[in-house]
Amino acid sequence: MRKFLILLSILIISLAIFAEEVNLVILHTSDLHGNIFPVNYATNKPYYVGLGRVSTFYKMEKEKNPNVFLIDTGDLIQGTPLEYYHARIDNGPVDPMVKVMNHMGYLASIIGNHEFNYGKKVLNKAISEATFPFLSANIVDRDTGKPVFKPYMVFDYKGIKIGILGLTTKFIPNWEDPKNIRNLDFYDPVEVAKKYVKILREKEKVDVLIVGYHGGFERDLNTGKPTEELTGENQGYQLLTEVPGIDVLLTGHQHRAISGVYNGVAVSMPKNWGKMVGRIELTLDNSNGKWKIVSKKSELLNSKTVESDKEVLALVQDYEDKVQKWLDQPVGTAKGDFYVYDPLKTRLADNALIEFVNRVQQTYSGVKISSTALFNNDIKGWKSGPVTLRDINGVYIYPNTLKVLKVTGKDIKDAIERSADYFVLKDGKVEVNKSWVDPKPQHYNYDMWEGIRYIIDVNKPVGERVVWLEYEGKPVEMNKEYEIVLNNYRAGGGGGYSMFKGKPVVKEVMMEVSELMADYIMEHKVIEAKVDNNWYVATDIMYNVKSGDTLFKLGRMYNVNPYAIAKWNNIKNPDLIYIGQKLVIYKPAISNN
């Protein structure tokens, strides 16, 4: 017994001597969208974004602790003129994002939905150039059912076995051009995670299991209540609650700022473009002879607090110089302002910039009915004078192409009703519905149409707000078929426009809309800012006709067409109204804001 106690004491002392505690830091980026330099390409003004600032955070962390890892969760190689120029104009050199990330020493990046935008050739080239893997376990070959990309990676760091599993939103087929994802299937990430987490825990026997998911959260992380329609686009909450064994969940896609420890899992989503960097710190010890996580912390680092790493910027300065020169090329002249002074007012009534984009889409598709969006509140357009490629790329920020669909009148009305949900009426003023900006801004899902005449009445309940809808002077017939042109994202039902999903495709225009805009301006040389006032958002009033009133007087009073008032009220003779007659008038809401 004495001998046993002596041996036990020696073992305990030995374990204590060799016991170790290690702090691992994960720096997490997501939705970088081609940003390296601290610049807003639309204005060429400084902006607190880019891999340059991420690199500064990385170097600062490395000075304090050598155990620092960089992981990205997708939407990497699309989003700026820098990446557009590389993909479409000069794809010969190494992808600039990949070049910088190789230099920084990224461990991995997850495949995002925008990785496919420029086609498989561009994506595969970028992957081949990377010294780190692009991971995704749930994107599989349709014929074999096997992952197209590396599903996970495992590595040993100071005796600690670390696994990283990659997952991607399964919703990509709802947005992407079919030719860019040909022969690919997108399996449910939650079911795939269950399979691979088990492999990583039981077969690979990892000590730390990190899941990188290009997707966001469909529910509030504290209450579990849905924060959006549960379409399957975002399944982060399901991963947290239905897949045991995850230590760290790195997310993205929604461009939100999220950090914390939920359900025992360290969670991070660091906004977009490098505006923030997620920082997760794990403390491990091996006092029991096996590495075990004893604490988890998660926080977000704000890129406003640092400057860009000049060493990183210098690596790709030659890329940037070419892009800046290209962006400043004038392609034509604007007569009048195509400018967004107030994004809310732009979405309340016909605007020269939006009408121009729709006009371009109509021209190159040969279709009379078109829709587009003001994608975010930073887009300004251009004023009277020279129009450059920078101006155009600053307006149409996505590499969308166009599709012509055959739809019913009811589909068109339902789509406008979907957009009409964007507004709420508060104290007599029209405001943006909170659900369209929180938890994620969705301004890009509010569409404005050309080729039809319509009025949205925000006094009416959601779903009943389209009070006037005409095509070529006649009411749009619900069962009649019409051809419409819209971008490929919307044509696939993206943004909650399920009425368009699966509709017959009459024609495709495979040039990107920004290119079409440039071609249109170059061909016309001068473009004139004008609107036909074919639509607006209104608040209805019931007016009692008084002595001396005429429809023309009421039209001037409420800034509406008197003949429209006649139509709304089924008045056959616009010159004949009666004292005491009740008239519905759809008063433009823009005068109330």
Side-chain angles (χ1 to χ4, degrees), residues 372-415:
T372 192
L374 181 69
F375 296 122
N376 63 49
N377 286 349
D378 295 323
I379 291 170
K380 294 300 179 188
W382 54 82
K383 294 187 177 181
S384 189
V387 182
T388 66
L389 288 171
R390 184 188 305 281
D391 295 325
I392 294 167
N393 280 273
V395 166
Y396 213 100
I397 58 177
Y398 298 119
N400 291 334
T401 55
L402 297 176
K403 289 191 176 185
V404 175
L405 300 185
K406 185 173 284 187
V407 302
T408 64
K410 184 178 186 303
D411 293 327
I412 295 172
K413 183 176 184 294
D414 288 347

Side-chain angles (χ1 to χ4, degrees), residues 331-333 356 359 363-364 518-528:
V331 292
T333 303
F356 170 73
R359 197 188 318 151
T363 299
Y364 290 101
D519 285 352
Y520 185 95
I521 297 171
M522 284 189 282
E523 181 182 342
H524 289 79
K525 296 184 175 58
V526 177
I527 55 170
E528 186 175 352

Side-chain angles (χ1 to χ4, degrees), residues 265-285:
V265 180
V267 171
S268 170
M269 187 190 296
K271 293 198 79 169
N272 57 299
W273 304 353
K275 293 175 184 176
M276 288 184 170
V277 175
R279 182 186 183 276
I280 289 178
E281 185 173 343
L282 306 177
T283 302
L284 295 89
D285 78 25

